[in-house]
Amino acid sequence: EVTEGDGATGECKNDKGNDRVSMSSLSEILRLLLRSNPGGMSCVNNYGESPLHRAIVHNAPLDIILTLLEHSSLQQQHQQRTASAETTTTITATTKPMEQPSSSYPLHLAMAYANERVILALLASTAATSGHAAKVTDEKGQLPLHVACRHNPSVTVVRQLLELHPAASVARDRDRGQCPLHYACTLGAPLSIVELLIGGARVRDDGGKLPVHCACLAGAEEGVVSLLLRYFPESRGEVVPTAGGCCTGGAIGFVTPEEYLNKIIDERERKRGIGGDEGESCDDRDLLAGGVQRTVRFR
């Protein structure tokens, strides 16, 4: 197994750490192996994992991933030309391990294990097939976007997944009935991610939780909760469910999202010294009412 070096010209150590092979040489070796064995991409181990699966799980260098994807594309073109029933199955970003029910598709695996460059390479390959891999669900009914939101994705990755499959933002999985925004809010996603996923703000999971409930229980920042309440103002007075779903721990001392946001605002004002002897002060609680005029207090 190897770890990534400096791009195409980087060097890798073997498992003993003493022999070094340039990345370009390693990629060329892989190409030669695949040319000598055109069916190599379809070979699977005892767990039904293809070379692409293994490369992703072990965070193989980008050049290796690109070589596998390139060969997969060439193999698929060959299949289309021959149209033979004996043609070997092509392993692509949508191909799932055949003998291990708990395994995932390559694109799903990449969201959990791969770095952003590898993910973007897979997404580019997916775009060439009308985004099919971004629309495939695993055994839990989760799309790649669900998996990504469980592993702190970048804005670029989330945006590209949504471009390939816009309806993913409101898709509920079979595990808990949660949409990607539930997972993002549970893990404390920043405002930039929540803004992209805001279409799921009105989706309830199997336990009755909204994403804003998950955000409050996870101790989300003020801007995130404010945005969720602006998008779904009717939820500001809903009692936060505490049973079922994946939302555990987090902030305490509140019952509704409105009370949670009040608590944040009070703490912020306390730190800033609001309410002292300095005269006029403003209150940001207009965010709770979805646009009600700001209250101004005088001391």
Side-chain angles (χ1 to χ4, degrees):
E1 294 176 6
V2 297
T3 54
E4 190 163 7
D6 298 327
T9 60
E11 294 184 339
C12 296
K13 294 182 180 181
N14 65 4
D15 56 357
K16 295 181 180 180
N18 48 21
D19 293 330
R20 304 180 71 85
V21 180
S22 70
M23 193 60 60
S24 57
S25 298
L26 191 59
S27 297
E28 186 57 32
I29 291 171
L30 178 59
R31 289 189 181 93
L32 291 173
L33 288 171
L34 291 173
R35 287 171 191 163
S36 64
N37 180 16
M41 278 294 294
S42 302
C43 295
V44 295
N45 59 18
N46 292 334
Y47 298 100
E49 297 171 320
S50 72
L52 184 57
H53 288 95
R54 299 303 297 169
I56 291 171
V57 169
H58 289 282
N59 197 23
L62 178 61
D63 275 7
I64 299 300
I65 299 295
L66 291 175
T67 299
L68 292 171
L69 289 174
E70 175 190 0
H71 190 83
S72 175
S73 177
L74 292 173
Q75 186 179 354
Q76 189 170 33
Q77 291 173 21
H78 176 71
Q79 287 183 3
Q80 292 171 350
R81 286 195 300 268
T82 59
S84 170
E86 288 122 18
T87 302
T88 308
T89 303
T90 302
I91 304 295
T92 66
T94 59
T95 304
K96 188 178 182 182
M98 295 176 287
E99 301 177 15
Q100 190 178 17
S102 61
S103 295
S104 298
Y105 297 93
L107 188 57
H108 288 72
L109 284 175
M111 298 303 160
Y113 293 100
N115 60 51
E116 183 170 314
R117 290 194 298 166
V118 169
I119 291 173
L120 294 180
L122 285 167
L123 288 175
S125 173
T126 297
T129 59
S130 301
H132 179 61
K135 304 172 185 177
V136 175
T137 57
D138 62 13
E139 70 278 355
K140 293 183 179 180
Q142 294 187 344
L143 295 162
L145 185 58
H146 285 95
V147 182
C149 289
R150 290 162 41 203
H151 294 87
N152 299 313
S154 70
V155 168
T156 301
V157 168
V158 173
R159 182 180 291 116
Q160 290 200 18
L161 284 169
L162 287 171
E163 288 175 356
L164 293 169
H165 187 28
S169 65
V170 296
R172 299 172 76 247
D173 64 17
R174 290 193 295 272
D175 191 28
R176 298 186 176 95
Q178 296 194 330
C179 70
L181 186 55
H182 283 96
Y183 289 104
C185 289
T186 297
L187 292 180
L191 183 61
S192 56
I193 296 294
V194 175
E195 287 174 336
L196 292 173
L197 300 169
I198 195 62
R202 295 173 178 264
V203 176
R204 296 182 187 276
D205 68 10
D206 292 342
K209 287 189 179 72
L210 293 162
V212 69
H213 295 143
C214 294
C216 292
L217 288 167
E221 62 183 67
E222 180 181 343
V224 167
V225 178
S226 297
L227 174 64
L228 292 167
L229 291 180
R230 281 200 300 270
Y231 194 86
F232 191 16
E234 295 87 349
S235 66
R236 67 183 184 273
E238 288 195 24
V239 174
V240 179
T242 56
C246 71
C247 305
T248 58
I252 58 173
F254 64 92
V255 177
T256 66
E258 184 175 39
E259 290 182 2
Y260 174 80
L261 193 53
N262 268 326
K263 180 181 177 183
I264 293 179
I265 294 172
D266 287 342
E267 179 64 17
R268 172 166 54 79
E269 291 182 347
R270 184 188 66 79
K271 291 181 178 180
R272 290 182 179 177
I274 300 297
D277 297 324
E278 298 182 2
E280 184 181 31
S281 66
C282 296
D283 193 341
D284 292 331
R285 301 175 204 281
D286 58 310
L287 297 171
L288 297 173
V292 174
Q293 186 176 4
R294 176 177 296 175
T295 301
V296 179
R297 297 190 303 229
F298 295 90
R299 294 283 183 176

